Amino acid sequence: MKFMKLGSRPDTFYSAESVRTVSSEVSSDLIIEVKGCKYLLHKFPLLSKCLRLQRICCESPETSQHQIIQLPDFPGGIEAFELCAKFCYGITITLSAYNIVAAQCAAEYLQMTEDVEKGNLIYKLEVFFNSCILQGWRDSIVTLQSTKAFPLWSEDLGITSRCIESIASKVLTHPSKVSLSHSHSRRVRDDISCNGAESQRHKSTTKGWWAEDMAELGIDLYWRAMIAIKSGGKIPTNLIGQALQIYASRWLPNISRQVKANQGATSDSDSDSTGEVSSKHRLLLESIVSLIPSDKGDVSCSFLLKLLKAANILNASSSSKMELARRVALQLEEARVSDLLIPSLSNSSDTLYDVDIVLTILEEFMLQGQSPPTSPPRSRLGFERRRRSRSAENIDFEFQESRRSSSASHSSKLKVAKIMDGYLQEIARDINLPLSKFIAIAAKIPDFSRLDHDDLYRAIDIYLKAHPDLNKSERKKLCRILDCKKLSVEACMHAAQNEKLPLRVVVQVLFFEQARATMVGGKVAELPSNIKALLAAHNIDPSRPPRTLSTTTSIRGDDQWSVSGLKSPKSRTSTLRMKLAEDDLDEYDMNPDGLGRSSKFKAFCALPTGPKKIFSKLLSINRSGSEKN
């Protein structure tokens, strides 16, 4: 770092009983009080360079041997005053980036200008500031940081703005052309190869060489410096995003620790200090949010969700939360389930996690409107084939071309559906989670985004286990979001023996599995004996083709599906018959005369003859059971 020495005389200031004086053959005739400290000095060297002291001495008459001057509002305190006093005496002083701001403010206060004496302190400080401080990277950072102690003086003297302009201009310049400190310059040179080109390994580090040093600044100065850098238009937005992540990692962990430490505050003074800390950190967070670049991918989704968690802890403004939610929605397919588990700190909700903000994120994601509302047409189970004319193929080709720009969004919705089903499995364990919120999130996912409903069924099963007090209508409402046709063989085997599911779901699982086996035809593999006995008890052909389970979501051991350990086929059959006897025919939306009144029943009537007969046998079992009771 740069420094400047002024004066040649040795330091002759000394202290005696809280009084500072200078050794001299001439007795002192001036007492100056600064911040409770008395200085016994001489008028001649001081008044010859300080216009303010001249005016004060002229306005106040001498009442004793020593004329007393009080300077209670002196900027910089006793350290800055001594620098100016020693300069007047010709005593050697050392100036650097650490004390130049205090010296400039003190010199301006004392009016040590060229009008009083040529080569005065203000002139020398200005030359050093422009030629050395502003030319160095580290000097500019330290000087800007020191302006926090004198915000008004620094603004009036233009020190703050000039430091920010210097920093911004250096960020926009290649590091090889910037005057860096020895340690930092060496680190940057290590990232540059011998021929002057940046190596691939350290290319991103070299480009963002300035981010770590700037992270030392307070949020108000950092915000202004980043605005100046962004307005230059030369720095890629992804580097701005990386710098914000470095700054947040420097300050946000302190937020969590300090807020948790102050949560137990009970006295009024502790409560006030807690509110002050939260207010400062809230300003920090909201400032970071306002600096996030607008382009998608400039910051990671994980970083945005961490900011959202901090916003909840600090009770940030709703506008900041909504902005973060909107930004997360733009890249929700990159999120992890653990990042979406945002703690709920609301007094109006007893839930473990803030489900409302995740629902808002999901709604924003669905409102992007970049993907088709339905999935591309596919043949049913891969067995239907249609012959098309050449013109039809051309039309289909044009249709695919028009959708090429939205195919990525369609893919992202498939990923988001998987993520949200995993999220549902986590929040389903919360005993205070309302059924309406669980259904709201599950229902927001379009049907075409879920290629299978295995993960959704797992989430429903977990919710039923955690909420055993759900009544019959609530269980029906919960299971309406499940499509039994999209369950794998393993999921169907589990669902057929799941006593927590409504009877309607169990029957649908059995029916659709049998219908699927009938449509496939041919030889089918043998099912486990307990499932075979269960289906045979209802006159359903137990043969069906096996299908492998396709799921990528990792689950806990106690939530895994297993047909072992469940009730035996005989007892399970009796339980099913009891349910059939208890349930009314409105489970199937039927009138008393047996005529269908819903679209589902009409669809049933249109099925092939084999499955229709099977389902009729199930209905006859229901009727016979009711008559016996």
Side-chain angles (χ1 to χ4, degrees), residues 359 362-363 424 435-445 481:
L359 182 59
L362 188 56
E363 290 173 348
L424 287 172
L435 178 63
S436 58
K437 292 187 177 181
F438 183 92
I439 295 176
I441 292 182
K444 278 293 176 184
I445 303 297
I481 59 178

Side-chain angles (χ1 to χ4, degrees), residues 254-450:
N254 295 334
I255 291 178
S256 302
R257 286 196 293 268
Q258 293 185 30
V259 170
K260 288 179 180 179
N262 292 324
Q263 280 180 346
T266 53
S267 62
D268 293 339
S269 60
D270 291 340
S271 178
D272 293 340
S273 62
T274 302
E276 184 179 355
V277 169
S278 298
S279 178
K280 289 180 179 179
H281 288 156
R282 191 180 305 116
L283 173 63
L284 184 148
L285 178 70
E286 293 175 355
S287 300
I288 292 176
V289 173
S290 67
L291 290 172
I292 296 176
S294 57
D295 294 341
K296 177 181 177 181
D298 289 335
V299 293
S300 65
C301 186
S302 176
F303 172 64
L304 292 171
L305 286 168
K306 286 177 182 177
L307 291 181
L308 196 53
K309 288 181 181 180
N312 257 18
I313 294 174
L314 297 171
N315 193 23
S317 64
S318 57
S319 59
S320 296
K321 290 183 180 180
M322 285 302 301
E323 175 62 18
L324 286 171
R326 187 187 66 81
R327 293 303 307 275
V328 171
L330 291 176
Q331 47 199 96
L332 184 57
E333 67 275 10
E334 303 171 8
R336 296 176 299 182
V337 173
S338 57
D339 294 330
L340 290 171
L341 298 176
I342 302 172
S344 176
L345 302 177
S346 174
N347 295 327
S348 59
S349 176
D350 296 329
T351 57
L352 293 176
Y353 305 110
D354 191 342
V355 181
D356 294 330
I357 192 66
V358 175
L359 182 59
T360 301
I361 292 172
L362 188 56
E363 290 173 348
E364 289 289 331
F365 174 79
M366 293 302 171
L367 287 175
Q368 292 179 34
Q370 296 179 351
S371 63
T374 57
S375 61
R378 293 173 295 177
S379 58
R380 189 175 184 182
L381 296 176
F383 292 99
E384 294 180 1
R385 296 291 184 266
R386 295 181 179 178
R387 293 184 177 180
R388 299 180 301 172
S389 64
R390 176 63 61 181
S391 60
E393 291 180 357
N394 292 335
I395 293 173
D396 182 68
F397 175 79
E398 294 174 359
F399 175 69
Q400 295 295 337
E401 285 294 316
S402 65
R403 289 180 42 178
R404 179 165 294 181
S405 60
S406 63
S407 60
S409 180
H410 178 78
S411 174
S412 68
K413 287 194 175 184
L414 297 179
K415 295 178 182 178
V416 168
K418 208 71 175 174
I419 293 169
M420 298 313 300
D421 285 347
Y423 176 75
L424 287 172
Q425 294 172 32
E426 292 296 329
I427 65 174
R429 298 179 175 89
D430 183 7
I431 59 175
N432 295 320
L433 178 66
L435 178 63
S436 58
K437 292 187 177 181
F438 183 92
I439 295 176
I441 292 182
K444 278 293 176 184
I445 303 297
D447 184 63
F448 74 88
S449 297
R450 286 191 177 101

Side-chain angles (χ1 to χ4, degrees), residues 467-484:
H467 302 79
D469 297 333
L470 290 179
N471 57 39
K472 180 180 175 182
S473 62
E474 289 173 334
R475 286 187 289 117
K476 289 181 182 179
K477 187 177 181 181
L478 173 63
C479 293
R480 285 196 188 103
I481 59 178
L482 186 68
D483 187 353
C484 298

